[in-house]
Short mmCIF file of all heavy atoms in Angstrom, two decimals:
data_model
loop_
_atom_site.label_atom_id
_atom_site.label_comp_id
_atom_site.label_asym_id
_atom_site.label_seq_id
_atom_site.Cartn_x
_atom_site.Cartn_y
_atom_site.Cartn_z
N ILE U 1094 -5.65 -0.54 1.16
CA ILE U 1094 -5.36 -1.90 0.94
C ILE U 1094 -5.01 -2.13 -0.51
O ILE U 1094 -5.95 -2.19 -1.38
CB ILE U 1094 -6.42 -2.96 1.41
CG1 ILE U 1094 -6.81 -2.62 2.84
CG2 ILE U 1094 -5.97 -4.36 1.16
CD1 ILE U 1094 -7.91 -3.58 3.35
N PRO U 1095 -3.71 -2.07 -0.85
CA PRO U 1095 -3.36 -2.07 -2.35
C PRO U 1095 -3.97 -3.29 -3.11
O PRO U 1095 -4.22 -3.29 -4.35
CB PRO U 1095 -1.80 -2.15 -2.31
CG PRO U 1095 -1.42 -1.59 -0.93
CD PRO U 1095 -2.50 -1.94 0.04
N MET U 1096 -4.18 -4.44 -2.31
CA MET U 1096 -4.68 -5.65 -2.98
C MET U 1096 -6.13 -5.39 -3.49
O MET U 1096 -6.48 -6.02 -4.63
CB MET U 1096 -4.69 -6.67 -1.91
CG MET U 1096 -5.34 -7.97 -2.22
SD MET U 1096 -5.36 -9.04 -0.87
CE MET U 1096 -6.81 -10.18 -1.23
N LEU U 1097 -6.82 -4.53 -3.06
CA LEU U 1097 -8.26 -4.36 -3.47
C LEU U 1097 -8.23 -3.43 -4.71
O LEU U 1097 -9.38 -3.27 -5.29
CB LEU U 1097 -9.13 -3.63 -2.30
CG LEU U 1097 -9.17 -4.51 -1.02
CD1 LEU U 1097 -10.03 -3.76 -0.02
CD2 LEU U 1097 -9.69 -5.87 -1.33
N ASP U 1098 -7.30 -2.75 -5.03
CA ASP U 1098 -7.27 -1.86 -6.26
C ASP U 1098 -6.80 -2.66 -7.40
O ASP U 1098 -5.66 -3.07 -7.57
CB ASP U 1098 -6.25 -0.77 -5.99
CG ASP U 1098 -6.28 0.24 -7.17
OD1 ASP U 1098 -7.10 0.13 -8.11
OD2 ASP U 1098 -5.75 1.40 -6.97
N PRO U 1099 -7.80 -2.99 -8.39
CA PRO U 1099 -7.37 -3.80 -9.57
C PRO U 1099 -6.36 -3.18 -10.50
O PRO U 1099 -5.65 -3.73 -11.28
CB PRO U 1099 -8.68 -4.03 -10.33
CG PRO U 1099 -9.54 -2.92 -9.90
CD PRO U 1099 -9.13 -2.51 -8.48
N TYR U 1100 -6.12 -1.77 -10.35
CA TYR U 1100 -5.26 -1.11 -11.31
C TYR U 1100 -3.96 -0.88 -10.54
O TYR U 1100 -2.97 -0.40 -11.11
CB TYR U 1100 -5.92 0.26 -11.60
CG TYR U 1100 -7.16 0.13 -12.33
CD1 TYR U 1100 -8.34 0.34 -11.64
CD2 TYR U 1100 -7.23 -0.16 -13.66
CE1 TYR U 1100 -9.59 0.35 -12.24
CE2 TYR U 1100 -8.42 -0.21 -14.24
CZ TYR U 1100 -9.64 -0.01 -13.61
OH TYR U 1100 -10.79 -0.05 -14.21
N ARG U 1101 -3.82 -1.20 -9.26
CA ARG U 1101 -2.57 -0.86 -8.59
C ARG U 1101 -1.36 -1.65 -9.14
O ARG U 1101 -0.22 -1.14 -9.10
CB ARG U 1101 -2.71 -1.17 -7.03
CG ARG U 1101 -1.63 -0.67 -6.08
CD ARG U 1101 -1.73 0.80 -6.08
NE ARG U 1101 -3.00 1.24 -5.47
CZ ARG U 1101 -3.27 1.46 -4.21
NH1 ARG U 1101 -2.30 1.17 -3.30
NH2 ARG U 1101 -4.49 1.77 -3.84
N LYS U 1102 -1.53 -2.95 -9.63
CA LYS U 1102 -0.40 -3.61 -10.32
C LYS U 1102 0.20 -2.96 -11.43
O LYS U 1102 1.37 -3.19 -11.90
CB LYS U 1102 -0.88 -4.99 -10.53
CG LYS U 1102 -1.94 -5.08 -11.67
CD LYS U 1102 -2.39 -6.61 -11.85
CE LYS U 1102 -3.56 -6.71 -12.88
NZ LYS U 1102 -3.95 -8.05 -13.08
N GLU U 1103 -0.52 -2.03 -12.07
CA GLU U 1103 0.05 -1.34 -13.25
C GLU U 1103 0.58 -0.08 -12.80
O GLU U 1103 1.14 0.62 -13.69
CB GLU U 1103 -1.08 -1.20 -14.20
CG GLU U 1103 -1.69 -2.42 -14.85
CD GLU U 1103 -2.75 -2.28 -15.89
OE1 GLU U 1103 -2.65 -1.18 -16.45
OE2 GLU U 1103 -3.58 -3.14 -15.98
N MET U 1104 0.46 0.32 -11.59
CA MET U 1104 0.95 1.70 -11.12
C MET U 1104 2.51 1.54 -10.70
O MET U 1104 2.77 0.51 -10.12
CB MET U 1104 0.17 2.24 -9.93
CG MET U 1104 -1.32 2.51 -10.42
SD MET U 1104 -2.22 3.24 -8.98
CE MET U 1104 -3.87 3.35 -9.63
N THR U 1105 3.17 2.54 -10.94
CA THR U 1105 4.60 2.59 -10.46
C THR U 1105 4.67 3.83 -9.62
O THR U 1105 4.80 4.97 -10.13
CB THR U 1105 5.51 2.58 -11.64
OG1 THR U 1105 5.28 3.51 -12.40
CG2 THR U 1105 5.50 1.25 -12.28
N THR U 1106 4.81 3.76 -8.25
CA THR U 1106 4.89 4.89 -7.49
C THR U 1106 6.33 4.96 -6.86
O THR U 1106 6.82 4.04 -6.15
CB THR U 1106 3.85 4.79 -6.29
OG1 THR U 1106 2.70 4.58 -6.74
CG2 THR U 1106 3.99 6.01 -5.36
N LYS U 1107 7.08 5.97 -7.15
CA LYS U 1107 8.45 6.13 -6.76
C LYS U 1107 8.40 6.63 -5.21
O LYS U 1107 7.68 7.58 -4.89
CB LYS U 1107 9.28 7.11 -7.59
CG LYS U 1107 9.46 6.66 -8.94
CD LYS U 1107 10.32 7.48 -9.80
CE LYS U 1107 10.44 6.98 -11.15
NZ LYS U 1107 11.39 7.87 -12.00
N THR U 1108 9.23 6.03 -4.46
CA THR U 1108 9.29 6.48 -3.01
C THR U 1108 10.09 7.76 -2.97
O THR U 1108 11.03 7.92 -3.83
CB THR U 1108 10.03 5.43 -2.22
OG1 THR U 1108 11.39 5.16 -2.74
CG2 THR U 1108 9.32 4.09 -2.16
N ALA U 1109 9.88 8.56 -1.96
CA ALA U 1109 10.62 9.85 -1.93
C ALA U 1109 12.00 9.77 -1.51
O ALA U 1109 12.75 10.66 -1.60
CB ALA U 1109 9.70 10.76 -0.86
N VAL U 1110 12.38 8.65 -0.91
CA VAL U 1110 13.69 8.61 -0.22
C VAL U 1110 14.71 7.95 -1.27
O VAL U 1110 15.72 8.53 -1.85
CB VAL U 1110 13.68 7.78 1.05
CG1 VAL U 1110 15.20 7.66 1.50
CG2 VAL U 1110 12.84 8.42 1.96
N SER U 1111 14.40 6.76 -1.75
CA SER U 1111 15.41 5.99 -2.53
C SER U 1111 15.19 6.07 -4.01
O SER U 1111 16.01 5.74 -4.85
CB SER U 1111 15.32 4.43 -2.18
OG SER U 1111 14.01 4.01 -2.40
N GLY U 1112 13.95 6.55 -4.40
CA GLY U 1112 13.62 6.64 -5.79
C GLY U 1112 13.51 5.22 -6.45
O GLY U 1112 13.25 5.22 -7.68
N ALA U 1113 13.29 4.26 -5.67
CA ALA U 1113 12.99 2.92 -6.21
C ALA U 1113 11.45 2.81 -6.53
O ALA U 1113 10.77 3.56 -5.98
CB ALA U 1113 13.49 1.86 -5.19
N ILE U 1114 11.15 1.76 -7.31
CA ILE U 1114 9.83 1.57 -7.60
C ILE U 1114 9.29 0.72 -6.58
O ILE U 1114 9.72 -0.52 -6.25
CB ILE U 1114 9.63 0.94 -9.07
CG1 ILE U 1114 10.22 1.87 -10.10
CG2 ILE U 1114 8.28 0.57 -9.29
CD1 ILE U 1114 10.23 1.40 -11.54
N GLN U 1115 8.01 1.02 -5.99
CA GLN U 1115 7.46 0.30 -5.06
C GLN U 1115 6.38 -0.63 -5.69
O GLN U 1115 5.48 -0.19 -6.47
CB GLN U 1115 6.66 1.20 -4.03
CG GLN U 1115 6.04 0.42 -2.83
CD GLN U 1115 5.42 1.41 -1.95
OE1 GLN U 1115 5.54 2.65 -2.09
NE2 GLN U 1115 4.85 0.83 -0.88
N THR U 1116 6.46 -1.87 -5.37
CA THR U 1116 5.51 -2.79 -6.04
C THR U 1116 4.79 -3.60 -5.05
O THR U 1116 5.22 -3.59 -3.87
CB THR U 1116 6.33 -3.84 -6.95
OG1 THR U 1116 7.33 -4.67 -6.08
CG2 THR U 1116 7.07 -3.19 -8.09
N PHE U 1117 3.62 -4.09 -5.41
CA PHE U 1117 2.79 -4.80 -4.40
C PHE U 1117 2.62 -6.28 -4.92
O PHE U 1117 2.60 -6.41 -6.13
CB PHE U 1117 1.42 -4.19 -4.22
CG PHE U 1117 1.55 -2.77 -3.74
CD1 PHE U 1117 1.51 -1.65 -4.62
CD2 PHE U 1117 1.66 -2.50 -2.44
CE1 PHE U 1117 1.57 -0.38 -4.15
CE2 PHE U 1117 1.85 -1.19 -1.83
CZ PHE U 1117 1.72 -0.15 -2.91
N SER U 1118 2.47 -7.20 -4.09
CA SER U 1118 2.30 -8.62 -4.50
C SER U 1118 0.90 -8.92 -4.71
O SER U 1118 -0.01 -8.54 -3.98
CB SER U 1118 2.93 -9.68 -3.37
OG SER U 1118 2.12 -9.27 -2.24
N TYR U 1119 0.57 -9.57 -5.88
CA TYR U 1119 -0.83 -9.76 -6.20
C TYR U 1119 -0.93 -11.33 -6.45
O TYR U 1119 0.05 -12.01 -6.70
CB TYR U 1119 -1.22 -9.04 -7.51
CG TYR U 1119 -1.42 -7.63 -7.24
CD1 TYR U 1119 -0.16 -6.80 -7.41
CD2 TYR U 1119 -2.56 -7.02 -6.88
CE1 TYR U 1119 -0.40 -5.42 -7.19
CE2 TYR U 1119 -2.71 -5.62 -6.63
CZ TYR U 1119 -1.58 -4.84 -6.76
OH TYR U 1119 -1.69 -3.58 -6.69
N GLY U 1120 -2.19 -11.87 -6.28
CA GLY U 1120 -2.45 -13.21 -6.44
C GLY U 1120 -2.30 -13.92 -5.11
O GLY U 1120 -2.66 -15.03 -5.00
N GLN U 1121 -1.79 -13.30 -4.02
CA GLN U 1121 -1.73 -13.83 -2.70
C GLN U 1121 -2.87 -13.42 -1.89
O GLN U 1121 -2.87 -12.56 -1.12
CB GLN U 1121 -0.34 -13.41 -2.04
CG GLN U 1121 0.97 -13.74 -2.94
CD GLN U 1121 1.08 -15.29 -2.92
OE1 GLN U 1121 0.68 -16.01 -2.15
NE2 GLN U 1121 1.73 -15.77 -4.03
N ASP U 1122 -4.00 -14.04 -2.23
CA ASP U 1122 -5.32 -13.69 -1.53
C ASP U 1122 -5.39 -13.87 -0.09
O ASP U 1122 -6.19 -13.51 0.66
CB ASP U 1122 -6.45 -14.24 -2.25
CG ASP U 1122 -6.64 -13.62 -3.66
OD1 ASP U 1122 -6.08 -12.55 -3.84
OD2 ASP U 1122 -7.31 -14.28 -4.50
N LEU U 1123 -4.36 -14.85 0.44
CA LEU U 1123 -4.49 -15.39 1.79
C LEU U 1123 -4.13 -14.31 2.68
O LEU U 1123 -4.54 -14.21 3.94
CB LEU U 1123 -3.80 -16.69 2.07
CG LEU U 1123 -4.27 -17.80 1.21
CD1 LEU U 1123 -3.41 -19.14 1.46
CD2 LEU U 1123 -5.71 -18.21 1.59
N GLN U 1124 -3.14 -13.42 2.33
CA GLN U 1124 -2.50 -12.32 3.08
C GLN U 1124 -2.43 -10.98 2.36
O GLN U 1124 -2.43 -11.05 1.17
CB GLN U 1124 -0.99 -12.75 3.50
CG GLN U 1124 -0.92 -13.96 4.57
CD GLN U 1124 0.48 -14.31 4.91
OE1 GLN U 1124 1.30 -13.98 4.19
NE2 GLN U 1124 0.61 -15.00 5.95
N PHE U 1125 -2.41 -10.02 3.18
CA PHE U 1125 -2.42 -8.64 2.47
C PHE U 1125 -1.60 -7.64 3.17
O PHE U 1125 -1.28 -8.01 4.41
CB PHE U 1125 -3.89 -8.16 2.17
CG PHE U 1125 -4.58 -7.84 3.39
CD1 PHE U 1125 -4.66 -6.44 3.78
CD2 PHE U 1125 -5.18 -8.72 4.28
CE1 PHE U 1125 -5.36 -6.07 5.00
CE2 PHE U 1125 -5.78 -8.32 5.41
CZ PHE U 1125 -5.91 -7.07 5.68
N GLU U 1126 -1.38 -6.56 2.57
CA GLU U 1126 -0.64 -5.49 3.35
C GLU U 1126 -1.53 -4.29 3.36
O GLU U 1126 -2.39 -4.14 2.40
CB GLU U 1126 0.67 -5.14 2.69
CG GLU U 1126 0.68 -4.90 1.24
CD GLU U 1126 1.98 -4.66 0.64
OE1 GLU U 1126 3.01 -4.80 1.34
OE2 GLU U 1126 2.16 -4.39 -0.55
N ALA U 1127 -1.35 -3.39 4.33
CA ALA U 1127 -2.29 -2.27 4.42
C ALA U 1127 -1.56 -1.14 5.09
O ALA U 1127 -0.51 -1.32 5.76
CB ALA U 1127 -3.50 -2.64 5.27
N TYR U 1128 -2.10 0.07 4.87
CA TYR U 1128 -1.68 1.34 5.50
C TYR U 1128 -2.89 1.96 6.23
O TYR U 1128 -3.98 2.04 5.62
CB TYR U 1128 -1.09 2.28 4.33
CG TYR U 1128 0.03 1.88 3.57
CD1 TYR U 1128 -0.05 1.07 2.58
CD2 TYR U 1128 1.23 2.31 3.88
CE1 TYR U 1128 0.98 0.68 1.81
CE2 TYR U 1128 2.36 1.81 3.21
CZ TYR U 1128 2.18 1.02 2.13
OH TYR U 1128 3.35 0.64 1.47
N VAL U 1129 -2.58 2.38 7.42
CA VAL U 1129 -3.63 2.95 8.30
C VAL U 1129 -3.04 4.37 8.80
O VAL U 1129 -1.97 4.44 9.27
CB VAL U 1129 -3.88 2.16 9.56
CG1 VAL U 1129 -4.95 2.88 10.38
CG2 VAL U 1129 -4.29 0.78 9.03
N GLN U 1130 -3.76 5.41 8.40
CA GLN U 1130 -3.28 6.79 8.79
C GLN U 1130 -4.30 7.38 9.84
O GLN U 1130 -5.50 7.43 9.58
CB GLN U 1130 -3.25 7.71 7.61
CG GLN U 1130 -2.62 8.97 7.87
CD GLN U 1130 -2.53 9.83 6.71
OE1 GLN U 1130 -3.50 10.37 6.25
NE2 GLN U 1130 -1.37 9.92 5.95
N PHE U 1131 -3.73 7.82 10.95
CA PHE U 1131 -4.51 8.42 12.05
C PHE U 1131 -4.63 9.87 11.89
O PHE U 1131 -3.78 10.58 11.32
CB PHE U 1131 -3.88 8.03 13.41
CG PHE U 1131 -4.05 6.54 13.76
CD1 PHE U 1131 -2.97 5.67 13.44
CD2 PHE U 1131 -5.14 6.02 14.33
CE1 PHE U 1131 -3.08 4.32 13.76
CE2 PHE U 1131 -5.25 4.75 14.55
CZ PHE U 1131 -4.16 3.81 14.33
N MET U 1132 -5.70 10.38 12.58
CA MET U 1132 -5.79 11.84 12.54
C MET U 1132 -4.87 12.59 13.56
O MET U 1132 -4.33 13.65 13.25
CB MET U 1132 -7.15 12.28 13.04
CG MET U 1132 -8.32 11.68 11.99
SD MET U 1132 -8.43 12.66 10.59
CE MET U 1132 -9.03 14.22 11.18
N GLU U 1133 -4.50 11.93 14.59
CA GLU U 1133 -3.64 12.54 15.62
C GLU U 1133 -2.43 11.78 15.91
O GLU U 1133 -2.48 10.38 15.76
CB GLU U 1133 -4.46 12.81 16.88
CG GLU U 1133 -5.57 13.68 16.73
CD GLU U 1133 -6.40 13.85 18.05
OE1 GLU U 1133 -6.02 13.21 19.03
OE2 GLU U 1133 -7.47 14.68 18.11
N TYR U 1134 -1.32 12.33 16.36
CA TYR U 1134 -0.17 11.64 16.68
C TYR U 1134 -0.31 10.60 17.87
O TYR U 1134 0.26 9.48 17.99
CB TYR U 1134 0.91 12.64 17.03
CG TYR U 1134 2.25 12.01 17.58
CD1 TYR U 1134 3.05 11.34 16.67
CD2 TYR U 1134 2.71 12.24 18.79
CE1 TYR U 1134 4.27 10.81 17.05
CE2 TYR U 1134 3.84 11.66 19.23
CZ TYR U 1134 4.65 10.99 18.38
OH TYR U 1134 5.84 10.48 18.85
N ILE U 1135 -1.17 11.08 18.89
CA ILE U 1135 -1.24 10.25 20.05
C ILE U 1135 -1.93 8.89 19.64
O ILE U 1135 -1.64 7.81 20.28
CB ILE U 1135 -2.13 10.96 21.19
CG1 ILE U 1135 -2.08 10.14 22.38
CG2 ILE U 1135 -3.56 11.29 20.71
CD1 ILE U 1135 -0.78 10.02 23.09
N SER U 1136 -2.89 8.87 18.74
CA SER U 1136 -3.58 7.63 18.21
C SER U 1136 -2.54 6.68 17.66
O SER U 1136 -2.52 5.60 17.82
CB SER U 1136 -4.58 8.04 17.23
OG SER U 1136 -5.63 8.85 17.89
N PHE U 1137 -1.60 7.27 16.81
CA PHE U 1137 -0.54 6.50 16.09
C PHE U 1137 0.34 5.98 17.24
O PHE U 1137 0.74 4.72 17.08
CB PHE U 1137 0.30 7.46 15.31
CG PHE U 1137 1.63 6.81 14.60
CD1 PHE U 1137 1.51 5.96 13.62
CD2 PHE U 1137 2.67 7.14 15.32
CE1 PHE U 1137 2.71 5.42 13.16
CE2 PHE U 1137 3.90 6.57 14.85
CZ PHE U 1137 3.92 5.83 13.83
#
């Protein structure tokens, strides 16, 4: 959950495809974005 990392707003992670800078929105505590990674393909 990028919102929980206080240092994430200062990080710049380039995506592997487009080379653009991926940014996360901060200050919007009512909603958040998240990444969930499964162990197996069937779970995904």
